Amino acid sequence: MKVNFTPEIAERLGRAFVVWLQTYFSGKNKLRISVGRDPRLSGPELLESLIKGLCAEGADVVNFGLASTPAMFMSTQIGENPVDAAVMVTGSHSAGHKNGLKLFTSTGGLDKADISEILDIAKGNLKTGGRSGNVAYYDFMAVYAQHLADGIRKGVNHPDHYETPLEDLKIVVDAGNGSGGFFATDVLEQLGADISASQFLEADGRFPNHFPNPEDTNAMNSLISKVKESEADLGIIFDMDVDRAALVDYTGRPINKNSLIALASAVVLQKSPGSTIVTDSITSDGLSWFIQDKLGGKHHRYQRGYKNVINEAVRLNGIGQESCLAIETSGHAAFRENFFLDDGAYLATRMIITLAKMRLKGND
């Protein structure tokens, strides 16, 4: 099979992204851009070429190494010195031998029109010369993990052990050897959760156990078996770059697709009654009944594609129709309170907060 995303192309796209950003920021000539990658075997080489291209056009680069896609966007929002833009080297849900780029500014992921402009720039005559950017290395995943942990602490607000609000919970995380293992070790374990039954946390681009994908039957069955076997309270499975997630309850019942949308909607509508839940078009009529008649919200179906769903929720808010959640049956879930970022780890934190608070009230 011919490889069409080569290191040379990654370098050229990096250069084109900087040129595009200079126009986006009205001529700003000193850009800081964060970069990261998922565990795919082609990732390190492509990342180095990308960095070479970014630096060639004068951008300073902050290299995060192994990262998650949502963390890359969050690097434009949080931390001591947020960056101007971010690039994630990931093939997302595609097969392990494929790879690509996800591009972000502080307003979110780029749309198709933006990508087309960058591709046109890459096809043109990119001049060399001028200032060459510098490269720094930074463990931003630790910052991002702390951000998630602090959110759980605040959300649960445990009266007896605020710092470790998950002491009574056993949670299985299945990272599928993708980028999501940090959520077990750097978030849940720090909060007191028992993560001993978690599996495939080590990043491994060969994916020797199962491919990290909440929509994959083998992957879900593996998590279901582990939750039952370990008598866990909850199971969480992430996709490769952690922008999607699915859950398994203590009985081994999968909470994904329509059932995950229903659960997330219930959490959102408890806080924001009457809000509009934007989903893709293939959700069930039963889900519509649950959101509208049972929960008192509004269900707005829209065209498939997680970016389409997110953009529609943003549009509705812009015309005065409150929408606090955009979620697709694939597991992409974006909360308004979280910059409408589709973040599987953030979705998991919201569900864990709900579970922990139910435990506090004496409900299982």
Side-chain angles (χ1 to χ4, degrees):
M1 181 180 294
K2 183 179 179 180
V3 175
N4 57 13
F5 183 41
T6 62
E8 292 75 21
I9 290 177
E11 179 182 346
R12 195 163 187 85
L13 288 173
R15 294 182 63 189
F17 186 40
V18 176
V19 173
W20 182 87
L21 285 170
Q22 287 168 343
T23 300
Y24 179 84
F25 285 111
S26 301
K28 184 175 182 179
N29 59 9
K30 199 168 185 181
L31 296 166
R32 290 179 66 249
I33 302 173
S34 62
V35 298
R37 64 174 178 84
D38 73 20
R40 283 177 167 83
L41 297 179
S42 60
E45 183 179 22
L46 290 172
L47 184 64
E48 287 304 313
S49 294
L50 170 68
I51 292 171
K52 184 178 178 181
L54 296 171
C55 289
E57 292 296 330
D60 288 333
V61 175
V62 188
N63 186 354
F64 296 165
L66 184 70
S68 74
T69 291
M72 297 311 303
F73 168 76
M74 289 302 292
S75 68
T76 71
Q77 303 292 331
I78 65 173
E80 294 181 1
N81 190 12
V83 297
D84 299 303
V87 187
M88 177 70 172
V89 179
T90 179
S92 190
H93 60 275
S94 299
H97 66 279
K98 297 183 178 182
N99 221 327
L101 302 179
K102 290 185 178 181
L103 310 174
F104 298 91
T105 67
S106 60
T107 61
L110 271 59
D111 288 315
K112 287 183 179 179
D114 303 320
I115 299 297
S116 294
E117 289 179 9
I118 292 169
L119 291 175
D120 287 341
I121 293 170
K123 293 174 185 175
N125 182 23
L126 292 167
K127 298 178 181 179
T128 58
R131 174 184 182 270
S132 180
N134 299 311
V135 182
Y137 298 87
Y138 186 56
D139 182 12
F140 182 78
M141 288 305 293
V143 176
Y144 173 65
Q146 187 64 49
H147 170 73
L148 294 175
D150 288 344
I152 294 175
R153 289 188 180 100
K154 183 178 178 181
V156 177
N157 194 26
H158 201 290
D160 300 321
H161 37 92
Y162 180 86
E163 290 296 320
T164 53
L166 306 183
E167 284 184 9
D168 300 326
L169 291 175
K170 186 173 189 176
I171 301 175
V172 175
V173 173
D174 185 328
N177 301 113
S179 293
F182 80 95
F183 190 73
T185 56
D186 300 343
V187 180
L188 300 183
E189 190 171 38
Q190 306 308 314
L191 297 174
D194 179 352
I195 64 163
S196 59
S198 293
Q199 57 185 10
F200 318 139
L201 302 182
E202 304 80 12
D204 186 340
R206 299 167 300 169
F207 310 111
N209 297 290
H210 63 69
F211 196 70
N213 185 354
E215 294 186 284
D216 181 79
T217 301
N218 291 331
M220 283 300 295
N221 285 341
S222 178
L223 176 60
I224 290 168
S225 296
K226 182 59 80 169
V227 168
K228 288 181 175 179
E229 171 193 312
S230 63
E231 298 182 339
D233 298 294
L234 182 69
I236 303 167
I237 185 168
F238 295 117
D239 72 341
M240 172 80 74
D241 60 333
V242 203
D243 59 4
R244 289 186 297 140
L247 309 176
V248 170
D249 73 12
Y250 72 98
T251 69
R253 179 174 66 95
I255 306 173
N256 56 1
K257 300 181 180 179
N258 283 287
S259 59
L260 180 60
I261 297 174
L263 180 58
S265 299
V267 170
V268 165
L269 290 168
Q270 187 175 33
K271 184 178 180 181
S272 303
S275 177
T276 298
I277 309 299
V278 181
T279 73
D280 54 344
S281 58
I282 63 172
T283 49
S284 69
D285 291 339
L287 177 66
S288 286
W289 171 86
F290 182 76
I291 291 173
Q292 296 179 163
D293 295 352
K294 184 73 173 176
L295 299 178
K298 299 180 182 68
H299 183 200
H300 180 64
R301 288 188 177 105
Y302 197 64
Q303 65 191 81
R304 297 183 69 179
Y306 72 91
K307 188 62 174 173
N308 294 328
V309 173
I310 291 171
N311 287 345
E312 178 66 1
V314 172
R315 185 190 72 82
L316 291 177
N317 281 291
I319 62 173
Q321 182 176 336
E322 183 185 49
S323 177
C324 296
L325 175 65
I327 184 168
E328 197 183 32
T329 49
S330 64
H332 286 282
F335 294 81
R336 184 176 65 174
E337 68 201 44
N338 193 47
F339 308 99
F340 273 121
L341 171 67
D342 51 320
D343 184 345
Y346 187 81
L347 171 66
T349 66
R350 287 299 306 268
M351 302 303 108
I352 289 168
I353 289 169
T354 300
L355 176 59
K357 292 174 77 170
M358 288 175 64
R359 282 290 178 88
L360 274 174
K361 294 178 180 178
N363 301 317
D364 290 326

